[in-house]
Each structure stands twice: as structure tokens, then as C-alpha cells.
Amino acid sequence: MPALPDTPDFIRSVALVGGTHGDELTGVHLVRAFLRNPRLVERPGMNVTPLIANEAAVAAGRRDLGHDLNRAFAAADLANPELDAYEQVRARQINALLGPKGPSSKTDLILDFHSAASDMGLNCNITGEDPWLFRLVALAIRRLAEHTEPLAVRCYQFPAPAGDAPYLPSIARHGLGIEVGPIAPGSMNAEIYFRTRRLALTLLDLVAEYNQGAWPDETLSLDVYTQVATIPFPEGDDGGLGTMVHPERIRAVYEPILPGDPLFVGFDGAVIPYGGEAGLFPTFVNEPSYYPKNIALCLARRTQRQA
Ligand SMILES: [Zn+2]
């Protein structure tokens, strides 16, 4: 068996999670399809569990009922029974079902399905460092790119938070976010749905092959987009939203940005150019769910790594 990155054992239990954000319907309908037809996701030697994370928010057609479920999984919060927001209670239930968060978690791998209104394409999101996950993603990207109907997938990395990660996938040994777009909140896009399904099934195939010792032994080059900054909307005179993202940039997600490129446009039509470092990649551009955090877009740096 070829040398593998530092993963001590097999991946026996996998959870496929949708509806962590209740208005991101791609994951919801993907998981429902898996619940209706479990044979799609059955793989030899693996226990695969599809789960709708926030049914109440899905029923309400909302991202959440007041608290972001994907920020409710910090260890200290999971251990605090006095936190009684709906999503905080639900996080403890999910932690009991799939966790508990930490080395004795019942779940080896969580795939958590999200969508963005921004034109993000298909992304595998990794938080911090996880060599095994980077290799899984590199193999999936190659397999889908070389298919007779090629599918482009990017690897996106969120920096590890300073403390304990509050994200749902953090309760498994390995946690992977799947982010697809552009899809308006509360709606479906059939083409992206089927692409996401192909990505999910390919990842499961590769995990099964890993368990069988069937991963190739060559090293792969992987482009990784690491989020390095979030850019706020310039403030208006009244302290509220003072500008909009420039339409050219909304159409140019993942295209490198250069100083002087139009970035914002004011309500009076005045264009505000980008003034930062050259060659970074704008992501999550004009993402509606980021407006409450006053984030207009994110910037990522592309590096190549061996996986
Ligand atoms: Zn989401």
C-alpha cells in the first residue's frame, strides 16, 4: 500500500449534511434525495448518514431562526446547556448524534453542503490544515477534470480560527464544506444541483477507494485559494451602506484583481477603484448572507501545494 498522508486509520463513518443554512436548498434537496435512495451513497465498509441540519429553518425558508447554526459548534458552547437559541440547542443534538466533537467523534468525515449567490462555481472548503483532506480534494478535482464531461472544482481554504472552530464540520475528524454557486437563496438551479451531486458521489467513491488502499501513490499538484482578507462596504454619510459592488466585479469572481480595477460604485455613480495588493482573487463577491456582517467580498491568495 502506498504511503499516505498522516491519517492513522480508515474512514468508516461519513455524514452528508444539508440545510445547515435553511435557505441554501441545494444541500437540502441533495440530502433528501440521498434519504429517499440510500443506495446512491452506500459504499462498501462505510456507514453513510444523510442529515438535514436545520429542518426548522428550511421549513421557514430562512438561513436560521436567529443564530447561525454554522457558528454554534465551538466546544465551550456545546458544553453550555444554558444556551437556548434554537440553533444552539440543535447544535448540541447534532453533536450528540454525529460527534462528540473531539478525538472520540463517531464521525470520521462530514461533507456539509452550502450554496452562495456569488458566482463561485464548485468549491471544496477546508478550514486550516488537514493533509488527508487536501489529498482527497486533489484526487476529486483531477478525476472530475479528466472525465469525458469535465467538471471544474476549486479548493478553498479558510484560515483556522484563533480558537476553537465553531463550524458544524468541526465535530468530525475531517470536515469538508462544499460551496456551490451562483444560486439565489431559497431557490434551486438544476445544473448546479446535478454538478454538486456528481462532486459528492465522486468524493464518496474516493473515500471508499482510500479504505481499500487504492489511492494512487503519486503526488498531485493542487491550486489552493486561501482566504486572506474580507473587504467591507465603504460607509455612507449616514453610517449605512454607502456603495454597491461594481457590476464588473460581480461578474468577475475568481478573476485576479489589480490596483485601479473598479471595485465599488456609489449611489451617485462615482466609481471607487481597488487599491490593495495585485493578483489576489475576489470570492464571495456581493454575497447577500454577508451583508449583515458588512462584508462586500473576500480576497484569496492562490498557491500551489503538493497533495
Ligand atoms: Zn451556507
Side-chain angles (χ1 to χ4, degrees):
M1 183 167 155
L4 292 167
D6 40 20
T7 297
D9 48 12
F10 298 114
I11 304 293
R12 294 302 190 203
S13 54
V14 178
L16 307 174
V17 179
T20 300
H21 292 138
D23 59 356
E24 298 177 6
L25 298 185
T26 307
V28 173
H29 290 291
L30 198 59
V31 165
R32 285 182 181 161
F34 294 156
L35 288 166
R36 281 195 304 272
N37 188 3
R39 301 186 83 172
L40 269 177
V41 294
E42 277 173 13
R43 296 292 182 280
M46 288 163 55
N47 178 21
V48 180
T49 307
L51 176 75
I52 303 287
N54 196 340
E55 286 277 16
V58 174
R62 288 164 51 181
R63 182 177 176 86
D64 55 61
L65 302 185
H67 188 94
D68 187 340
L69 181 58
N70 207 29
R71 299 293 182 276
F73 288 87
D77 291 350
L78 293 170
N80 184 353
E82 290 177 12
L83 299 179
D84 61 356
Y86 175 80
E87 279 83 9
Q88 292 169 319
V89 175
R90 182 66 182 143
R92 292 199 292 276
Q93 291 170 350
I94 293 170
N95 189 49
L97 190 68
L98 301 180
K101 182 168 185 163
S104 59
S105 176
K106 289 187 280 295
T107 305
D108 296 318
L109 172 64
I110 287 179
L111 305 183
D112 189 22
F113 294 92
H114 291 257
S115 60
S118 178
D119 187 10
M120 291 287 285
L122 270 67
N123 301 264
C124 289
N125 296 348
I126 297 173
T127 298
E129 290 297 332
D130 183 333
W132 182 82
L133 263 189
F134 278 109
R135 184 148 172 79
L136 172 67
V137 170
L139 288 163
I141 287 173
R142 183 174 74 169
R143 180 166 296 181
L144 289 163
E146 292 177 351
H147 193 271
T148 49
E149 290 177 57
L151 191 56
V153 178
R154 292 187 184 91
C155 181
Y156 198 76
Q157 182 190 35
F158 290 104
D164 170 34
Y167 315 121
L168 186 151
S170 72
I171 64 174
R173 285 175 48 226
H174 304 280
L176 185 64
I178 308 293
E179 186 85 60
V180 301
I183 307 174
S187 72
M188 289 296 291
N189 176 310
E191 186 174 44
I192 298 176
Y193 168 82
F194 287 113
R195 288 176 180 168
T196 309
R197 195 175 85 151
R198 275 183 67 197
L199 171 58
L201 298 181
T202 298
L203 288 165
L204 286 175
D205 289 343
L206 282 162
V207 172
E209 291 165 30
Y210 168 77
N211 287 333
Q212 291 155 5
W215 277 11
D217 55 3
E218 88 262 40
T219 302
L220 302 180
S221 285
L222 174 66
D223 282 335
V224 178
Y225 295 84
T226 303
Q227 188 166 300
V228 292
T230 58
I231 307 294
F233 286 97
E235 215 172 78
D237 293 337
D238 58 359
L241 191 70
T243 59
M244 300 165 279
V245 178
H246 195 282
E248 283 179 24
R249 185 43 62 180
I250 291 176
R251 291 190 290 267
V253 179
Y254 270 123
E255 287 181 24
I257 191 165
L258 299 171
D261 284 353
L263 184 55
F264 294 106
V265 57
F267 296 110
D268 58 358
V271 173
I272 301 174
Y274 174 67
E277 180 185 340
L280 298 176
F281 293 79
T283 58
F284 295 99
V285 178
N286 201 37
E287 182 60 34
S289 60
Y290 286 6
Y291 272 61
K293 304 176 200 173
N294 194 32
I295 293 172
L297 66 154
C298 302
L299 294 174
R301 187 187 308 284
R302 185 173 68 188
T303 56
Q304 199 172 59
R305 68 164 70 198
Q306 302 304 306

